[in-house]
C-alpha cells in the first residue's frame, strides 16, 4: 500500500517536473527563436551605442565674405530612455541640475515615445559648471548623455535679425509635414528668415559614432565613425557697412530701411526696428523670453520692411504721376495753381502749404497735394489701381523671405467687396496721395523706385546671391528673373526721373544734397490715426547711373524730409564713401 502511494506521488512529481521543463523549453524557444532578433538588438543596444554627430550649419557671409552668422561648440545634455535604471529617481536629479521642471523632462520623453533608442535632448548650450556636476553624479545617472554640438551664433546680435531669422526645434509634426531627410526630432532647423528659406543648404548632413559602453553608459571604445558634413555657405547681397549705417540712421525709432541694387534686386541693407537677438533661439528659447517677445507692445517679431502695411503718403504720387502722364492728361509744363487747399463738394482738403503757380515738374519736386488731387479726378480710381499694380503694389515682391505681406491697393470693386460700400470721389483724392486705404511695405516701395531707376524693369528682391560649398566652390547663383516691364513710354520714364531728381536738387529733400553724388527720390508724409505721421523717403543714386535704391520709413515721426530723408542720406554716404558734411576729407 505504501509502495503504491509512493509511486503515485512520484508520478505526480515527475509530471509536474516534466510540465515545468516543458514550460521552460517553450519559453526558451520563444526567447531564442520567436523573439531572438528583438533581444539580440536589445543586447546590442545595451552594449553598443550609436550617437548622432550634429552637422555644423553653414556660415552666412555678407557680399564681401565677412561672416555674419557662425557656429561655436557647446555642451548638450540628453537622456537615453533605455539606459535609465530608476527613472523616478534620476529624472528629478537631472531636471534640478539643468534648472528644468521634472514635468518638462517627462514631456520631452513622452514626445519621443516611439524612438526608445534615440537620445532625447533636454538642454543645449549647458554651462561647464552644470556639466561638471552631472559628471560628478555619473554613478547615479547612467542614462544621461553629454554631447558637444555646434550652436548657432549671431555675433552682431540684433543686426539684420529679421533678414537672418532664427532656429527652432523640429517637431514630430514638422517631420510629418515637411520633407526633411536625415533630420531627427529635436534637431534645430530654420524657423524664419533665410535660416528657414535656405535651411536645406545650411543644415548639412549629420554623422554618427558607434561605441562600446560600460555598465554606467560611459563609452570606452570607438568602433566606427561617420563624419558629419557641414552645411553650405550662404552669401548675401547685404553689405555689412551699409547695414550698420542703416541701423544707426534709424536708431531706436520704430520703422524700416531697405537698400537694394536696382539692376539686380540684390538687397544691400534690410532693417526692421525694434528687432530681436536671434541668439535667444540658438539653443532653444526659454518660455519667459518667448513670452516677453510676444507681449512686447513694440512687436519686435514683426518684420516692418516685409510685413508692415503702411500708408505710403506722397511716395505714391509716383503712381499718380505715371498714370496722368501716360494717359496724356498732363505734360511736364502743364500749369496749375495751388492755393493751399482743394474744395470737393463743400469738403476742403488742405495742403501743407500754398505753392501758387507751378508746372507739373514743380509739383513733383514740391510734392504739391493740390496738383495731384486735381489730376486724380480725370485719372480715376480704376486707372490709379491699375498703374499701382503695374509697379507691384498690392502684391508680394517674391523676395526670398517667408510671410511677406501683399499690402492693399484699393479700387471700387475692392471697397465694395471688403466694406460693402460705394467708392466716393474723396476716396480717389486720398488714394492719389497714398492715404485712405492704400497700404504698402518699404520693400514694395523700394522695388517701385528701382523700376524707375533702372529704366522700367520690375526686379525681384533677393537676400541671397550665392550658395557655396564649405570648401568655397559655387554651388548655385541666386538670380531670380524680373517680374516684367513697366508699361510706360520712354518719355514718361524720363519725366519721372527728372521730377525725382528735382525733389533733391531744388525740392522737398534739398537738405540731403551731397557733393559729388546726385540723388533722386521722393519724400512722403502719411497721416496716421495713432499719433504723428509716418515719415518716408525713397531715393536712388547716382541719379544718372543708379546703383543703389534706399527707402526709409519711420513710424509716427513727422515729415519725411525731416525724419526719413537724413537716414537715406547717411546710408548713401557710407555706400558711396562720401564723408559727412563738415568732416575732413582723407
Amino acid at each position: 500500500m505504501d509502495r503504491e502511494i509512493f509511486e503515485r506521488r512520484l508520478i505526480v512529481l515527475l509530471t509536474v517536473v516534466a510540465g515545468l521543463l516543458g514550460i521552460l523549453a517553450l519559453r526558451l524557444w520563444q526567447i531564442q527563436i520567436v523573439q531572438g532578433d528583438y533581444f539580440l538588438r536589445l543586447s546590442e543596444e545595451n552594449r553598443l551605442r550609436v550617437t548622432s554627430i550634429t552637422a555644423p550649419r553653414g556660415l552666412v557671409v555678407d557680399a564681401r565674405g565677412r561672416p555674419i552668422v557662425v557656429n561655436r561648440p557647446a555642451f548638450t545634455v540628453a537622456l537615453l530612455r533605455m539606459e535609465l535604471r530608476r527613472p523616478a529617481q534620476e529624472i528629478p536629479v537631472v531636471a534640478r541640475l539643468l534648472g528644468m521642471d521634472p514635468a518638462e523632462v517627462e514631456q520631452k520623453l513622452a514626445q519621443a515615445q516611439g524612438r526608445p533608442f534615440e537620445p532625447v535632448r533636454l538642454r543645449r548650450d549647458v554651462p561647464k559648471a552644470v556639466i561638471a556636476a552631472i559628471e560628478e553624479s555619473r554613478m547615479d545617472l547612467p542614462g544621461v548623455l553629454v554631447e558637444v554640438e555646434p550652436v548657432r551664433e549671431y555675433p552682431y546680435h540684433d543686426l539684420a535679425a529679421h533678414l537672418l531669422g532664427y532656429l527652432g526645434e523640429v517637431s514630430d509634426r514638422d517631420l510629418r509635414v515637411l520633407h526633411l531627410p536625415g533630420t531627427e526630432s529635436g534637431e534645430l532647423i530654420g524657423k524664419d528668415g533665410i535660416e528657414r528659406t535656405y535651411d536645406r543648404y545650411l543644415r548639412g548632413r549629420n554623422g554618427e559614432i558607434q561605441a562600446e559602453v560600460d555598465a554606467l553608459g560611459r563609452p570606452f571604445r570607438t568602433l566606427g565613425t561617420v563624419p558629419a558634413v557641414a552645411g553650405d555657405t550662404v552669401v548675401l547681397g547685404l553689405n555689412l557697412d551699409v547695414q550698420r549705417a542703416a541701423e544707426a540712421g534709424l536708431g531706436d525709432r520704430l520703422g524700416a530701411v531697405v537698400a537694394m541694387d536696382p539692376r539686380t534686386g540684390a538687397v544691400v541693407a534690410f532693417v526692421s526696428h525694434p528687432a530681436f537677438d536671434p541668439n535667444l533661439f540658438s539653443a532653444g528659447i526659454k518660455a519667459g523670453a518667448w513670452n516677453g517677445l510676444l507681449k512686447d507692445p513694440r512687436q519686435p517679431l514683426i518684420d516692418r520692411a516685409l510685413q508692415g502695411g503702411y500708408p505710403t503718403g506722397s511716395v505714391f504720387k509716383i503712381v499718380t504721376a505715371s498714370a496722368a502722364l501716360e494717359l496724356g492728361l498732363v505734360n511736364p509744363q502743364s500749369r496749375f495753381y495751388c492755393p493751399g487747399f482743394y474744395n470737393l463738394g463743400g469738403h476742403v482738403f488742405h495742403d501743407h502749404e500754398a505753392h501758387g503757380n507751378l508746372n507739373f515738374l514743380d509739383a513733383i519736386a514740391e510734392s504739391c497735394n493740390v496738383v495731384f488731387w486735381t489730376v486724380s479726378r480725370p485719372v480715376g480710381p480704376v486707372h490709379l489701381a491699375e498703374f499701382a499694380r503695374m509697379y507691384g503694389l498690392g502684391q508680394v515682391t517674391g523676395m526670398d523671405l517667408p510671410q511677406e505681406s501683399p499690402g492693399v491697393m484699393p479700387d471700387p470693386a475692392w471697397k465694395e467687396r471688403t466694406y460693402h460700400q460705394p467708392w466716393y470721389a474723396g476716396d480717389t483724392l486720398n488714394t492719389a496721395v497714398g492715404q485712405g486705404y492704400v497700404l504698402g511695405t518699404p520693400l514694395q516701395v523700394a522695388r517701385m523706385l528701382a523700376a524707375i531707376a533702372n529704366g522700367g524693369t520690375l526686379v525681384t528682391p533677393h537676400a541671397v546671391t550665392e550658395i557655396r560649398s564649405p570648401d568655397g566652390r559655387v554651388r548655385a547663383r541666386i538670380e531670380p528673373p524680373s517680374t516684367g516691364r513697366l508699361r510706360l513710354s520712354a518719355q514718361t520714364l524720363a519725366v519721372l526721373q527728372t521730377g525725382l531728381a528735382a525733389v533733391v536738387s531744388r525740392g522737398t529733400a534739398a537738405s540731403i544734397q551731397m557733393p559729388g553724388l546726385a540723388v533722386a527720390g521722393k519724400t512722403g508724409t502719411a497721416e496716421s490715426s495713432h499719433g504723428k505721421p509716418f515719415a518716408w523717403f525713397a531715393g536712388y543714386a547716382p541719379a544718372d547711373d543708379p546703383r543703389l535704391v534706399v527707402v526709409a520709413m519711420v513710424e509716427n515721426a513727422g515729415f519725411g524730409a525731416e525724419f526719413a530723408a537724413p537716414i537715406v542720406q547717411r546710408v548713401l554716404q557710407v555706400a558711396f564713401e562720401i564723408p559727412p558734411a563738415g568732416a575732413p576729407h582723407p
Side-chain angles (χ1 to χ4, degrees):
M1 183 69 179
D2 292 339
R3 182 179 179 81
E4 291 180 3
I5 294 173
F6 173 77
E7 289 178 349
R8 283 199 301 269
R9 288 177 179 176
L10 183 60
I11 291 170
V12 170
L13 179 62
L14 290 175
T15 303
V16 170
V17 170
L20 290 174
L21 288 173
I23 293 172
L24 181 61
L26 181 64
R27 181 60 177 154
L28 286 172
W29 177 79
Q30 182 184 26
I31 290 173
Q32 292 185 336
I33 306 302
V34 177
Q35 295 180 296
D37 291 341
Y38 169 76
F39 285 105
L40 177 62
R41 187 173 74 252
L42 191 60
S43 66
E44 287 296 313
E45 292 291 346
N46 286 332
R47 184 175 64 86
L48 301 178
R49 176 186 294 166
V50 178
T51 306
S52 176
I53 305 174
T54 303
R57 286 179 72 83
L59 304 181
V60 179
V61 301
D62 83 338
R64 296 182 180 178
R66 292 171 288 188
I68 297 177
V69 184
V70 294
N71 302 299
R72 61 177 173 82
F75 292 108
T76 294
V77 174
L79 280 183
L80 287 164
R81 176 193 296 277
M82 296 303 296
E83 294 186 17
L84 291 175
R85 295 178 179 174
R86 299 179 301 277
Q89 286 80 40
E90 294 170 34
I91 288 174
V93 174
V94 175
R96 177 177 55 79
L97 291 172
L98 294 177
M100 299 174 67
D101 190 310
E104 186 181 353
V105 177
E106 295 278 9
Q107 182 182 13
K108 286 180 176 288
L109 289 173
Q111 290 171 347
Q113 190 92 31
R115 303 182 304 279
F117 303 111
E118 292 181 14
V120 179
R121 295 176 178 88
L122 300 182
R123 179 144 292 174
R124 290 178 169 87
D125 202 9
V126 178
K128 291 181 180 178
V130 175
I131 298 299
I134 289 174
E135 292 300 334
E136 288 174 3
S137 305
R138 174 60 65 189
M139 295 289 291
D140 301 318
L141 301 172
V144 176
L145 180 65
V146 176
E147 304 171 302
V148 176
E149 287 187 321
V151 168
R152 208 61 161 158
E153 185 171 41
Y154 303 82
Y156 300 103
H157 298 280
D158 62 353
L159 182 138
H162 292 90
L163 181 140
L164 298 174
Y166 56 86
L167 305 183
E169 283 194 2
V170 64
S171 64
D172 288 340
R173 180 183 178 278
D174 291 332
L175 293 175
R176 289 194 304 269
V177 175
L178 305 175
H179 182 59
L180 300 171
T183 305
E184 301 171 1
S185 183
E187 282 190 39
L188 294 174
I189 62 171
K191 291 286 189 176
D192 202 6
I194 64 165
E195 291 276 25
R196 173 176 167 179
T197 304
Y198 293 91
D199 184 73
R200 66 187 185 278
Y201 296 105
L202 290 165
R203 234 180 326 120
R205 190 166 65 249
N206 291 343
E208 62 180 32
I209 296 176
Q210 187 180 55
E212 284 188 282
V213 296
D214 61 18
L216 294 177
R218 295 174 302 194
F220 63 86
R221 186 169 62 155
T222 299
L223 301 178
T225 301
V226 177
V229 179
D232 293 327
T233 296
V234 167
V235 183
L236 305 179
L238 183 141
N239 181 302
L240 190 55
D241 300 321
V242 178
Q243 178 72 23
R244 283 170 168 157
E247 302 254 6
L250 183 59
D252 198 40
R253 297 170 294 183
L254 275 64
V257 183
V258 176
M260 184 171 71
D261 187 330
R263 300 164 297 182
T264 65
V267 171
V268 179
F270 194 86
V271 181
S272 175
H273 189 84
F276 57 90
D277 187 349
N279 289 301
L280 291 171
F281 298 84
S282 293
I285 190 167
K286 296 181 180 178
W290 176 246
N291 289 331
L293 290 172
L294 290 179
K295 294 177 181 178
D296 189 329
R298 302 196 307 165
Q299 299 180 297
L301 293 176
I302 297 294
D303 185 344
R304 286 164 163 79
L306 185 82
Q307 300 165 341
Y310 300 95
T312 57
S314 293
V315 173
F316 189 87
K317 289 174 183 174
I318 294 172
V319 173
T320 308
S322 301
L325 288 163
E326 197 66 17
L327 295 173
L329 301 173
V330 296
N331 62 59
Q333 300 308 317
S334 296
R335 304 296 300 180
F336 299 89
Y337 176 73
C338 169
F341 62 89
Y342 184 89
N343 197 315
L344 177 66
H347 182 80
V348 178
F349 288 73
H350 292 280
D351 205 340
H352 54 90
E353 65 175 283
H355 296 92
N357 290 302
L358 70 173
N359 63 29
F360 193 63
L361 279 179
D362 295 331
I364 296 174
E366 297 296 333
S367 198
C368 176
N369 285 339
V370 168
V371 170
F372 284 90
W373 285 331
T374 301
V375 301
S376 72
R377 299 294 301 281
V379 168
V382 173
H383 278 129
L384 281 176
E386 175 189 335
F387 277 81
R389 294 184 185 117
M390 176 191 69
Y391 277 109
L393 300 180
Q395 53 197 284
V396 297
T397 67
M399 186 177 179
D400 48 353
L401 292 177
Q403 302 177 24
E404 181 179 0
S405 168
V408 174
M409 187 54 238
D411 59 18
W414 173 89
K415 187 179 180 185
E416 177 63 36
R417 187 171 61 251
T418 305
Y419 294 104
H420 308 292
Q421 294 177 359
W423 187 271
Y424 300 109
D427 294 329
T428 301
L429 267 61
N430 282 329
T431 301
V433 295
Q435 295 282 174
Y437 303 109
V438 175
L439 295 176
T441 67
L443 184 64
Q444 289 173 329
V445 172
R447 183 169 69 152
M448 175 177 73
L449 204 66
I452 296 171
N454 67 28
T457 299
L458 209 59
V459 296
T460 301
H462 56 285
V464 175
T465 59
E466 282 184 353
I467 306 294
R468 294 178 184 166
S469 64
D471 61 5
R473 291 180 294 107
V474 176
R475 288 194 188 277
R477 299 189 189 279
I478 310 300
E479 299 172 343
S482 65
T483 54
R485 294 273 307 171
L486 299 181
R487 298 183 302 278
L488 299 177
S489 66
Q491 293 85 350
T492 295
L493 270 174
V495 173
L496 292 173
Q497 291 165 346
T498 302
L500 295 179
V503 169
V504 179
S505 65
R506 58 183 173 85
T508 55
S511 62
I512 70 163
Q513 293 178 26
M514 288 170 279
L517 184 66
V519 181
K522 185 71 191 75
T523 54
T525 304
E527 297 299 324
S528 168
S529 59
H530 304 290
K532 294 180 180 180
F534 297 134
W536 286 86
F537 185 72
Y540 61 82
D544 57 348
D545 182 23
R547 299 198 300 276
L548 192 66
V549 167
V550 187
V551 173
M553 186 283 304
V554 188
E555 292 184 15
N556 304 120
F559 290 108
E562 182 179 356
F563 294 98
I567 299 173
V568 174
Q569 180 187 41
R570 184 167 184 169
V571 172
L572 293 174
Q573 285 171 337
V574 172
F576 292 98
E577 300 180 347
I578 297 173
H585 287 268

